[in-house]
Structures are given as structure tokens and as C-alpha cells.
């Protein structure tokens, strides 16, 4: 697994844990039955046809190496942390690690490749947000996005120079 040496190791560890969650019988391979049982555990009854379609084009057996390569291929378009941090820093004039959430949402819904307001709110759903001490235009405590934490969660799997 030489391809793993250039990757963000905490994220690779998370993927290994995810693999174990899918490999319900613990044989080192995610089988169609493992996947079907995983869905059942989540309360979703997938047909054999749906499960077969999920395995279309996937190298068999679906062991840990194949699983990691599959996930990494799907995430290939995600930027590494250092690139994403650089993008977010344009909103962080004070270099504090936090940006004005309201301003950020305004900018990504009105400029460039625009998000809808629903898409912007959904994207930030799991982001760490703090309040204050500044007030916004409505006199409410200003919500600030911890973009350092956010970037760590949404960036690709490549190593970063930051940590």
C-alpha cells in the first residue's frame, strides 16, 4: 500500500475504521451480503439488484486495499488542506482561524460558482460555529465559523503542510 504514504494518515485511519464497519463478518472483504446487512442495520432494505449495481465496476474481492483505492478515486477532486486553508484565509483578515459565517454565506451565494442558500447552510451544517463577542447588523452575537476545523473535515486525503 505504497500509495498511502503521501496521504493524510488520520483520514486513512478513519477509512480503515469505516471498512471494518462494512465488513460485518470480519473476513477482510466487503461482500454483497455484508453491504446488504449494513443497510439493514441502518433500517434500509435494499434489493439484490440495488446491491449488485453498487458493486458494478468494483474490483473483487473488495478488500481494504481496493476499498481505500475506490474511496480515494471518488475523492480525487477534493483539494488538500493547505489549498483549502488558503482559500478560506481570504475571509480571515485578522488571521484568527475564524471567519464571519454570515459574510461567508453571503459571498458563496452571490459570487462565482454560486451555492443556493439551502446548499450553503447544508454545507456548513456540521461546521463548528462560535458566537460573539462582536454583534452583527441586527444586534445579534456574530456567528464565526472555525474554518480550520471545517477544512480538516472537508479536505481531500492528501497530506498537508499544516497541523
Amino acid at each position: 500500500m505504497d500509495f498511502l504514504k503521501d496521504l493524510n494518515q488520520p483520514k486513512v485511519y478513519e477509512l480503515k475504521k469505516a471498512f471494518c464497519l462494512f465488513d460485518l463478518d470480519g473476513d477482510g472483504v466487503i461482500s454483497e451480503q455484508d453491504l446488504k446487512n449494513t443497510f439493514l442495520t441502518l433500517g434500509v432494505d435494499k434489493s439484490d439488484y440495488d446491491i449488485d449495481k453498487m458493486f458494478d465496476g468494483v474490483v473483487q474481492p473488495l478488500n481494504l486495499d481496493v476499498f481505500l483505492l475506490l474511496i480515494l478515486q471518488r475523492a480525487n477532486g477534493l483539494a488538500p488542506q493547505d489549498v483549502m486553508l488558503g482559500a478560506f484565509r481570504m475571509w480571515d483578515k485578522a488571521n484568527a482561524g475564524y471567519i464571519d459565517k454570515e459574510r461567508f454565506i453571503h459571498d458563496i451565494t452571490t459570487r462565482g460558482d454560486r451555492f443556493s442558500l439551502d446548499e450553503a447552510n447544508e454545507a456548513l451544517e456540521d461546521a463548528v460555529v462560535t458566537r460573539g463577542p462582536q454583534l452583527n447588523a441586527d444586534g445579534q452575537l456574530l456567528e464565526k465559523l472555525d474554518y480550520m476545523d471545517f477544512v480538516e473535515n472537508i479536505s481531500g486525503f492528501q497530506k498537508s503542510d499544516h497541523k
Side-chain angles (χ1 to χ4, degrees), residues 42-60:
L42 297 171
V44 178
D45 188 15
K46 290 280 187 185
S47 71
D48 289 339
Y49 175 79
D50 289 337
I51 298 294
D52 286 343
K53 284 192 61 95
M54 290 179 194
F55 277 84
D56 277 354
V58 175
V59 174
Q60 296 296 325

Side-chain angles (χ1 to χ4, degrees), residues 68-121:
L68 290 173
L69 282 170
L70 184 66
I71 297 296
L72 294 172
Q73 286 171 346
R74 301 274 193 253
N76 193 27
L78 296 175
Q81 281 182 319
D82 52 349
V83 172
M84 294 187 89
L85 283 170
F88 275 91
R89 283 196 175 109
M90 91 173 207
W91 284 281
D92 184 13
K93 304 298 183 211
N95 198 27
Y98 296 90
I99 58 177
D100 177 338
K101 180 182 172 189
E102 189 176 306
R103 171 67 189 262
F104 178 70
I105 288 176
H106 173 269
D107 288 353
I108 66 172
T109 58
T110 61
R111 298 184 176 162
D113 291 331
R114 297 179 182 135
F115 282 64
S116 71
L117 186 55
D118 287 341
E119 290 170 333
N121 286 324

